Amino acid sequence: MLKGVTPAAPVHTNIEDPAAQTNLGFIHAFVAAISVIIVSELGDKTFFIAAIMAMRYNRLTVLAGAMLALGLMTCLSVLFGYATTVIPRVYTYYVSTALFAIFGIRMLREGLKMSPDEGQEELEEVQAEIKKKDEELQRTKLLNGPGDVETGTNTTIPQKKWLHFISPIFVQALTLTFLAEWGDRSQLTTIVLAAREDPYGVAVGGTVGHCLCTGLAVIGGRMVAQKISVRTVTIIGGIVFLAFAFSALFISPDSGF
């Protein structure tokens, strides 16, 4: 060592592992999506549609139609939200936080004003809508001759298993669910989440959340639909939305999740 030369101090670099940061972003988005979807969908119109249809028709057919509709809606919503990433993240982050706060306050107000047996009116509305579709299917059956309405086959064509998934019941479950979900709070929430969180985590979490709620409706049917307190779920949902808004005070927009 040269005399009078002080050795340089070691330099410590604080570089975060990109893979670890990506995993955290995915997990955070997944948990956020599955949480808000569950509290938004339990006791919702799409939940009642799956529950009532599952009591009348093949459960697997109803579940497949409803899940295809919800999966398509989730993917579309994530694409809409991801399209906003062209805007600087700091703006979309705080706008989405404000929307979460608004959703949370509205849900709390709605929940506190609801009566304990709230939801029966929407259940009756869904029953009337499905009854109308049933009448249309019966008219179609009479026009096309005798056959199985659920599979869409007649006596001259051998029944095939795959026809269960393209039957009128499948199409009815798909269209009713898709139209009921369009513009719904869960769709708007998915768009908002995709604008600020990892889009893959939002897509997977949203789909899993929908699958859990729809599966519960299909398996439990009317009993579950009548037992669920829409008022309680709405209040819990409002608290969850406000919690996500409140967490923005402690998480930087540039944190990556």
Side-chain angles (χ1 to χ4, degrees):
M1 182 182 296
L2 297 177
K3 189 175 181 181
V5 177
T6 305
V11 179
H12 297 282
T13 57
N14 187 20
I15 301 176
E16 295 183 0
D17 185 3
Q21 191 173 14
T22 301
N23 289 337
L24 281 175
F26 179 89
I27 294 171
H28 189 271
F30 177 86
V31 173
I34 196 172
S35 301
V36 297
I37 290 300
I38 288 176
V39 297
S40 297
E41 288 298 304
L42 282 177
D44 195 27
K45 190 173 183 178
T46 52
F47 182 89
F48 289 136
I49 288 173
I52 300 302
M53 288 195 68
M55 291 188 298
R56 303 187 178 191
Y57 310 114
N58 182 279
R59 291 182 177 182
L60 185 59
T61 305
V62 173
L63 180 62
M67 280 310 306
L68 178 59
L70 293 169
L72 288 173
M73 184 64 71
T74 301
C75 292
L76 284 174
S77 301
V78 169
L79 287 175
F80 291 155
Y82 185 70
T84 64
T85 55
V86 296
I87 304 171
R89 177 174 167 78
V90 65
Y91 298 120
T92 58
Y93 184 82
Y94 287 116
V95 168
S96 62
T97 299
L99 289 174
F100 271 121
I102 293 170
F103 287 160
I105 293 171
R106 286 188 61 184
M107 289 182 75
L108 278 178
R109 288 183 61 187
E110 290 172 6
L112 292 173
K113 291 180 179 179
M114 285 180 182
S115 60
D117 58 346
E118 186 77 25
Q120 291 302 312
E121 183 177 337
E122 189 164 13
L123 178 62
E124 292 170 3
E125 179 186 340
V126 171
Q127 286 177 318
E129 190 172 352
I130 293 176
K131 184 179 179 181
K132 182 179 178 181
K133 291 290 183 180
D134 286 344
E135 293 172 354
E136 292 176 2
L137 284 175
Q138 291 298 328
R139 284 196 294 269
T140 303
K141 179 182 177 182
L142 292 174
L143 290 173
N144 295 336
D148 188 347
V149 175
E150 184 175 327
T151 59
T153 59
N154 55 41
T155 54
T156 60
I157 301 176
Q159 182 177 343
K160 297 180 180 179
K161 291 183 179 179
W162 60 271
L163 285 175
H164 283 283
F165 296 95
I166 56 172
S167 69
I169 303 306
F170 174 85
V171 175
Q172 181 179 335
L174 189 151
T175 53
L176 282 175
T177 304
F178 191 89
L179 293 175
E181 192 67 16
W182 186 264
D184 193 36
R185 181 164 45 213
S186 57
Q187 185 199 16
L188 299 178
T189 302
T190 306
I191 294 173
V192 172
L193 274 176
R196 60 180 278 175
E197 305 284 351
D198 181 273
Y200 298 105
V202 174
V204 175
T207 303
V208 172
H210 280 301
C211 186
L212 291 174
C213 293
T214 306
L216 178 64
V218 168
I219 295 171
R222 186 185 184 90
M223 182 185 68
V224 174
Q226 290 181 328
K227 293 292 183 182
I228 285 179
S229 171
V230 178
R231 182 176 186 270
T232 302
V233 172
T234 303
I235 292 174
I236 294 174
I239 295 172
V240 170
F241 275 87
L242 287 176
F244 280 113
F246 185 72
S247 67
L249 299 175
F250 306 98
I251 300 175
S252 169
D254 299 321
S255 63
F257 61 92

